[in-house]
C-alpha cells in the first residue's frame, strides 16, 4: 500500500507593483516555508513587489 498524506500546496504569484506583471510563481511544500516567506515579506525583503494567492488558475486576492 502506498503512502497516503496530505500535501500542503500553497501557490502564490510574486508581481511587480508598478507594472502588475507576474515575476515569479512560488510553490511551498509545507506551512513552515510559507510562514517564513510571510515573515520575510513583512520585513520588506521584497521591495516593490506584491503577492497574491493562485488557486488552480484563478486568483483569490491581492496582499500588499
Amino acid at each position: 500500500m502506498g503512502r497516503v498524506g496530505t500535501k500542503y500546496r500553497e501557490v502564490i504569484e510574486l508581481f511587480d507593483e508598478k507594472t502588475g506583471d507576474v515575476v515569479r510563481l512560488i510553490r511551498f511544500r509545507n506551512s513552515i516555508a510559507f510562514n517564513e516567506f510571510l515573515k520575510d515579506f513583512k520585513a520588506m525583503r521584497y521591495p516593490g513587489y506584491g503577492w497574491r494567492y493562485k488557486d488552480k488558475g484563478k486568483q483569490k486576492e491581492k496582499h500588499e
Side-chain angles (χ1 to χ4, degrees):
M1 193 178 271
R3 183 177 150 195
V4 177
T6 59
K7 291 184 180 180
Y8 189 86
R9 288 288 199 165
E10 204 64 54
V11 179
I12 63 168
E13 295 176 328
L14 192 63
F15 65 95
D16 187 342
E17 291 179 337
K18 291 181 182 176
T19 63
D21 294 335
V22 175
V23 176
R24 185 174 180 186
L25 284 177
I26 304 173
R27 292 176 175 88
F28 298 96
R29 293 180 184 217
N30 56 43
S31 61
I32 295 169
F34 181 66
N35 290 333
E36 194 68 28
F37 169 80
L38 290 179
K39 185 175 79 170
D40 289 347
F41 194 85
K42 288 178 184 176
M44 295 308 289
R45 295 197 182 173
Y46 299 94
Y49 294 98
W51 69 274
R52 59 186 164 227
Y53 287 104
K54 181 171 178 77
D55 183 31
K56 296 183 182 179
K58 77 178 188 186
Q59 300 168 356
K60 288 184 182 178
E61 57 186 285
K62 173 181 166 183
H63 294 274
E64 295 179 11

